[in-house]
Amino acid sequence: MKIKVNSKDNADTCRIVTGSPCGYVIFGASGDLTRRKLLPAVFSLFTRKKIPNNFFLVGFARTPMDDDAFRQRVRDAISQTDDESSQTETDAFVRRCFYVAGSYDQDEGYLRLKAKIKAAEIQFSTDGNLVFHIATPPSLYATIVTLLGNNQLVWRGCTTTPFQRVIIEKPFGRDLASSVQLNKDLLIHLCDEQIYRIDHYLGKETVQNILMFRFANQIFEPAWNRNYIDHVQITVAEDIGVGHRAGYFEQAGLLRDMFQNHILQLATLVGMEPPVDLSADSIRDERVKFMKSIRPFDLDNLHGQLIRGQYGAGKDGALSMKAYREEQGVGATSCVETYFAMKLQVDNGRWQGVPFYIQAGKRLEKKLTRITVVFNKVPHCMFNTKKSGFNPAPNRLIFDIQPQQAISLLFQAKVPGSKMCLSSLAMELDYHETFGEKMDEDYSTLILDCMLGDQTLFWRKDSVETSWKLLTPVLEQWESCNREARRDLLHGYVAGGWGPEAGQRFIEKDGRTWFIE
Ligand code: BG6
């Protein structure tokens, strides 16, 4: 379908905003996340002039390294994802990169960091503005912020000019008690306006678009409720396994890894009420309100609401894929879930009786993140006669988040020629075809928002705690079971397929089916 973009409509909102002068400090600078995501994201902001020349980056980690060695790592990291930038741009960026090696729990390294920052602030005129990005193992978050505070690298309330902001990676806690404690620890040295709890799904263009789509188009709002919608389903499938992250994953499992944060945010964007305005707090108020209206899990009947699975071995063509329990770092009797299917009920006027089905898994057939809103069937369908045997599929609105980025509306239309033949057709908006230009990566969007002081796409304290409040009883019940009981409840599936059969039955027993093709 051809989509015409009328850019004159929105000349003002499409303005490209540039971050303020600032220094950006990464804790965990020798790690995987820094290499794969953070450095390419910041470099892309730099080359696209979304951050000014008054900018520098300091990496901090335990690995001994000097500035030159770090700069080489920066070059390697950006060359993995970028093939468009010139040598001059790369050189200009790398010149702004510095490194400090130190222990996370000793003042000494922080004092050297402070000296490095001071020198860079003068060299690049960054007005004292600082963003700290904590991308270390979660057990270090509180220690790092405490030492930043003790060494006067941050101080509570420093929100305007100069600003000090701290980005905290997920997972933010591992249950309700630990997330409450982490918030308390951070709030000794920072106020909530300085804390940017990141969820990279909220930085994806297609995720952000859900809000625009819902609240800038009047035609959908009247139908966006229990009167017209049968159910909502969310699939977050990954083809990769745990790779070399088994150490973390064995402690987390997929519910902590994906549901408590990314997936719950997707459900929330579909389900929340319209905010009164576009301020970060108005939007976050509505997000947390929706989370609070999700019915707590019924622990006495959990299998009706949640099933867990774990991948076994499989094949991808000639390539053999290991079972989860054979992955390096995974115990031979591990009962950690790599798949789940879930049904959420929402107790509010809009969604009462409309289930939200969710399935997510690692080592599934392909990467697919998709939200499908399935509308009710036509109440009386005259086309569905004994003779025609035709049973028109209900309308579906599909948000394809990745890898394809698209919105499609499925509807019925007459097939030309034949007298009475209908077919399901899709009206599709594909982002790349329509907007062409390279879109910002999730991390670029979020880092820039932090530099701009916009917290809309970050988690607020109350929503983190609300999400853990929902999930913690389920995790505790599971963790209190002995290994045999867990093993009996865990459904095996072949790597490279669509999850356990129980995942299919889970939705089919309600007369519905996963839309994954
Ligand atoms: C991370 C999870 O937050 O998100 C990973 O820890 C997961 O397990 C990743 O693979 C998925 O992100 P994306 O953007 O590739 O869908």
Side-chain angles (χ1 to χ4, degrees):
M1 192 182 76
K2 254 213 150 20
I3 306 262
K4 214 172 129 203
V5 183
N6 188 355
S7 55
K8 285 202 195 106
D9 276 2
N10 34 29
D12 217 34
T13 46
C14 291
R15 236 174 348 109
I16 295 194
V17 202
T18 311
S20 320
C22 80
Y24 173 74
V25 181
I26 306 177
F27 284 89
S30 57
D32 196 45
L33 184 69
T34 300
R35 182 180 52 79
R36 281 188 307 108
K37 296 279 190 176
L38 307 190
L39 293 172
V42 181
F43 179 63
S44 140
L45 289 173
F46 184 75
T47 55
R48 301 173 91 192
K49 310 238 175 307
K50 293 192 175 182
I51 45 181
N53 279 333
N54 310 74
F55 166 81
F56 66 86
L57 183 157
V58 184
F60 184 104
R62 279 185 288 238
T63 312
M65 215 184 327
D66 60 12
D67 287 343
D68 284 342
F70 181 61
R71 287 174 177 164
Q72 188 51 48
R73 283 196 185 209
V74 174
R75 282 184 195 278
D76 294 345
I78 58 189
S79 68
Q80 301 291 312
T81 50
D82 179 90
D83 47 16
E84 285 170 11
S85 309
S86 66
Q87 191 60 38
T88 324
E89 284 172 314
T90 309
D91 292 345
F93 182 73
V94 165
R95 244 196 332 273
R96 288 170 166 75
C97 296
F98 304 90
Y99 183 78
V100 175
S103 297
Y104 292 111
D105 57 356
Q106 281 165 29
D107 291 327
E108 194 267 328
Y110 291 77
L111 293 173
R112 280 186 292 110
L113 175 63
K114 197 170 175 178
K116 197 82 145 187
I117 290 175
K118 289 287 162 235
E121 279 178 346
I122 295 167
Q123 189 180 350
F124 295 102
S125 312
T126 52
D127 301 341
N129 295 323
L130 285 170
V131 167
F132 295 93
H133 194 141
I134 306 189
T136 60
S139 56
L140 293 166
Y141 296 167
T143 309
I144 293 171
V145 170
T146 304
L147 272 93
L148 282 175
N150 292 348
N151 289 288
Q152 281 98 47
L153 277 149
V154 295
W155 55 91
R156 208 180 133 84
C158 195
T159 51
T160 48
T161 332
F163 60 74
Q164 295 158 355
R165 300 178 183 141
V166 180
I167 302 178
I168 308 276
E169 277 297 326
K170 74 168 256 286
F172 196 93
R174 53 174 286 108
D175 54 19
L176 179 58
S178 57
S179 68
V180 169
Q181 186 58 49
L182 181 55
N183 275 324
K184 273 193 191 147
D185 293 342
L186 302 189
L187 287 166
I188 296 173
H189 298 283
L190 303 166
C191 56
D192 214 44
E193 290 73 33
Q194 290 171 279
I195 306 176
Y196 288 70
R197 300 173 190 83
I198 204 165
D199 182 326
H200 74 279
Y201 267 54
L202 286 176
K204 293 182 191 289
E205 277 290 343
T206 35
V207 173
Q208 292 174 63
N209 181 54
I210 299 170
L211 271 194
M212 316 290 158
F213 184 88
R214 282 193 55 199
F215 301 130
N217 293 300
Q218 174 62 9
I219 56 168
F220 292 103
E221 176 56 20
W224 208 260
N225 55 52
R226 61 195 300 270
N227 299 326
Y228 294 92
I229 293 179
D230 176 71
H231 73 280
V232 175
Q233 54 174 265
I234 302 176
T235 293
V236 181
E238 292 183 272
D239 50 356
I240 53 168
V242 282
H244 52 270
R245 294 172 73 226
Y248 152 76
F249 203 81
E250 277 285 272
Q251 300 306 313
L254 199 67
L255 285 164
R256 276 196 181 91
D257 186 44
M258 296 294 286
F259 172 72
Q260 178 270 332
N261 34 71
H262 310 322
I263 297 178
L264 201 48
Q265 285 291 358
L266 296 182
T268 298
L269 292 170
V270 175
M272 66 189 260
E273 294 301 313
V276 288
D277 56 37
L278 278 183
S279 71
D281 271 333
S282 299
I283 293 179
R284 297 193 302 173
D285 285 346
E286 293 307 330
R287 291 214 300 252
V288 76
K289 213 166 90 189
F290 175 80
M291 284 184 204
K292 284 183 178 164
S293 56
I294 297 175
R295 190 181 304 164
F297 289 90
D298 175 3
L299 295 183
D300 296 330
N301 178 30
L302 198 54
H303 63 276
Q305 253 186 297
L306 172 69
I307 63 149
R308 294 168 163 96
Q310 188 187 77
Y311 62 82
K315 274 198 170 290
D316 180 7
L319 202 79
S320 301
M321 291 182 285
K322 282 183 182 167
Y324 177 70
R325 289 178 186 172
E326 291 163 6
E327 301 271 19
Q328 200 181 357
V330 176
T333 54
S334 169
C335 287
V336 165
E337 79 282 354
T338 60
Y339 171 95
F340 68 83
M342 177 190 281
K343 177 158 87 170
L344 294 178
Q345 298 284 2
V346 183
D347 287 329
N348 67 21
R350 189 187 284 267
W351 296 113
Q352 192 60 231
V354 179
F356 281 55
Y357 295 95
I358 297 162
Q359 67 165 345
K362 295 214 175 271
R363 276 278 187 250
L364 297 184
E365 191 178 303
K366 59 180 180 190
K367 177 135 183 111
L368 177 72
T369 306
R370 170 179 288 175
I371 302 170
T372 308
V373 178
V374 183
F375 290 87
N376 289 336
K377 286 192 169 162
V378 174
H380 166 67
C381 184
M382 58 201 174
F383 305 107
N384 182 6
T385 59
K386 250 198 185 133
K387 198 167 146 220
S388 74
F390 183 70
N391 191 9
N395 296 119
R396 270 182 274 153
L397 183 64
I398 302 166
F399 296 93
D400 272 319
I401 309 292
Q402 56 185 13
Q404 197 198 357
Q405 300 180 302
I407 300 178
S408 323
L409 180 65
L410 266 73
F411 58 93
Q412 304 295 322
K414 182 180 183 302
V415 176
S418 82
K419 201 159 186 267
M420 181 66 71
C421 180
L422 290 151
S423 174
S424 263
L425 301 180
M427 217 163 24
E428 182 180 285
L429 157 73
D430 181 286
Y431 265 65
H432 286 283
E433 275 174 24
T434 307
F435 296 109
E437 67 183 71
K438 199 177 152 207
M439 282 189 279
D440 281 345
E441 289 293 321
D442 36 37
Y443 267 98
S444 299
T445 303
L446 294 169
I447 293 169
L448 179 61
D449 275 4
C450 175
M451 290 175 178
L452 292 166
D454 183 352
Q455 289 190 305
T456 311
L457 299 177
F458 294 83
W459 284 73
R460 205 169 56 185
K461 174 180 179 291
D462 54 353
S463 48
V464 175
E465 292 177 5
T466 304
S467 68
W468 280 120
K469 195 168 165 197
L470 177 70
L471 187 62
T472 299
V474 174
L475 299 171
E476 282 175 353
Q477 188 196 53
W478 180 251
E479 281 153 17
S480 70
C481 292
N482 62 31
R483 195 174 291 279
E484 285 67 40
R486 283 191 240 169
R487 202 184 47 214
D488 291 348
L489 288 169
L490 199 60
H491 301 271
Y493 61 96
V494 179
W498 272 112
E501 256 182 64
Q504 296 300 322
R505 286 200 302 273
F506 181 79
I507 190 164
E508 282 169 10
K509 73 177 170 23
D510 288 358
R512 292 157 178 140
T513 178
W514 297 114
F515 294 110
I516 44 184
E517 293 312 326

